Amino acid sequence: MASDDKVNILLVDDQPAKLLSYETILAELGENLIKAASAREALEQLLKHEIAVILVDVCMPELDGFQLAAMIREHPRFQRTAIIFISAIHLTDVDRLRAYEMGAVDYVPVPVIPEVLRAKVRIFAELYRKTRQLEQLNVELERRVAERTAELEASTGRLMQSEERRSLALAAGQMGSWEWDPVNGDFAWDDGQYRIFGVDPATFDVTVDNIKALIHPEDWKHLQNAIKPASQNTPSFQTEFRVCRPNGQTRWCIGTAVASADATDNIVRISGVTVDITDRKEAEERQALLA
């Protein structure tokens, strides 16, 4: 990865050992990792650098993670910055709701599963990078459109509005996470997963058959590889697939999955994340038509 393609990831924790562990886990992503030992240091780093993702501990002295997230969101420059909370204590549903209200886009419990943390941070870093690249392309597009007719200028104005909505949607984190217990066959979805698939948590039974019914037939075999990794040593699997919602909408998504094993080398859990990239796909198609 070229140095100018790297994005900045801010790691915030008052314990040096935990900062070092996060740095070790995320090192293979090849991004720029910036550390802060307090909320004050985190705010200073935010003012110095363009930050793509903030990884912040909920429990810190002076200002906790909730308060820091609220301060970050109050600044116009950081209203769309991805914030991931890490907490060593069990958060109630009320705590999780408070976290999202304060600006969090995701939550990771302790002990941290390195593969899952890398997968989540990688997705937000890539979304930030793609958004930045599109913004650069838009600058060039504006220059070219200025030389064309008024009709093309009006069309480009509509395109820019669409791109702005797309960027806001991406920064808002159109993301869901899930876990599967292959021993008992139990699935667990978060609210984002239900939202992406367009189903009601109160009525939708999360089973393999029901999930398969919502996946485009041409994409199901590829997605099965993400649901059933070969072993715990298999690196995180990532693929694009289409969700066919019950209301007839089709959404393009990126799916990532990793396996976890017990002491006897048996897979006991498979964790994954899903990101809705439909708006990005549509924007890239429009860009290709204008090229």
Side-chain angles (χ1 to χ4, degrees):
M1 185 182 301
S3 59
D4 57 349
D5 285 337
K6 295 181 179 181
V7 301
N8 296 319
I9 299 171
L10 180 59
L11 314 178
V12 187
D13 200 299
D14 63 304
Q15 299 183 34
K18 292 170 67 176
L19 277 178
L20 180 60
S21 68
Y22 301 150
E23 186 177 26
T24 302
I25 291 172
L26 300 176
E28 70 178 56
L29 297 183
E31 310 290 3
N32 296 321
L33 303 179
I34 301 172
K35 295 182 291 184
S38 66
R40 185 182 302 277
E41 287 186 23
L43 293 173
E44 291 175 354
Q45 295 293 351
L46 279 167
L47 294 174
K48 293 179 181 178
H49 306 281
E50 289 292 333
I51 302 297
V53 185
I54 304 172
L55 200 64
V56 58
D57 183 26
V58 171
C59 300
M60 293 190 299
E62 297 182 4
L63 293 176
D64 62 23
F66 296 134
Q67 295 169 314
L68 175 59
M71 293 181 65
I72 291 172
R73 284 293 184 257
E74 288 177 357
H75 196 294
R77 179 178 160 192
F78 310 124
Q79 289 179 354
R80 296 183 295 175
T81 304
I83 302 175
I84 301 176
F85 279 173
I86 294 183
S87 177
I89 61 174
H90 176 71
L91 295 185
T92 65
D93 290 339
V94 174
D95 292 328
R96 290 172 184 255
L97 178 60
R98 181 188 175 196
Y100 292 126
E101 288 177 344
M102 293 297 181
V105 296
D106 210 337
Y107 160 78
V108 176
V110 173
V112 172
I113 301 174
E115 295 85 355
V116 172
L117 180 61
R118 278 194 295 268
K120 292 187 176 186
V121 173
R122 179 186 291 112
I123 286 174
F124 284 112
E126 186 62 22
L127 291 177
Y128 179 90
R129 188 171 10 256
K130 292 297 184 182
T131 299
R132 186 172 62 182
Q133 292 171 353
L134 283 174
E135 289 173 350
Q136 294 171 351
L137 287 174
N138 284 338
V139 171
E140 175 63 17
L141 181 61
E142 289 178 359
R143 185 191 66 80
R144 294 170 56 186
V145 169
E147 300 173 354
R148 299 185 180 183
T149 64
E151 180 182 355
L152 283 178
E153 290 178 348
S155 176
T156 301
R158 291 191 296 269
L159 174 62
M160 294 301 295
Q161 292 176 359
S162 176
E163 288 297 312
E164 183 178 358
R165 289 193 297 269
R166 184 204 63 79
S167 297
L168 289 171
L170 290 179
Q174 294 182 341
M175 178 178 180
S177 61
W178 55 268
E179 288 189 355
W180 178 42
D181 179 349
V183 178
N184 300 316
D186 296 330
F187 275 96
W189 279 13
D190 69 357
D191 292 341
Q193 193 78 356
Y194 286 104
R195 184 169 58 251
I196 290 173
F197 278 73
V199 294
D200 186 350
T203 58
F204 184 75
D205 187 14
V206 185
T207 65
V208 173
D209 289 338
N210 288 343
I211 295 172
K212 181 179 180 181
L214 296 174
I215 303 298
H216 195 286
E218 296 177 0
D219 301 334
W220 176 246
K221 288 185 178 180
H222 298 294
L223 193 58
Q224 280 183 304
N225 292 329
I227 298 176
K228 299 179 180 179
S231 72
Q232 79 282 2
N233 295 320
T234 303
S236 59
F237 180 90
Q238 183 168 295
T239 186
E240 290 189 2
F241 65 95
R242 286 162 287 183
V243 171
C244 301
R245 291 177 172 175
N247 64 3
Q249 291 182 339
T250 298
R251 308 295 296 181
W252 275 98
C253 298
I254 292 178
T256 304
V258 293
S260 301
D262 59 17
T264 60
D265 208 31
N266 293 316
I267 296 177
V268 296
R269 178 176 59 199
I270 298 175
S271 304
V273 291
T274 305
V275 177
D276 187 334
I277 60 168
T278 304
D279 292 341
R280 193 190 84 190
K281 296 278 286 189
E282 292 176 351
E284 289 175 349
E285 291 174 359
R286 290 194 296 270
Q287 181 66 34
L289 291 175
L290 289 173

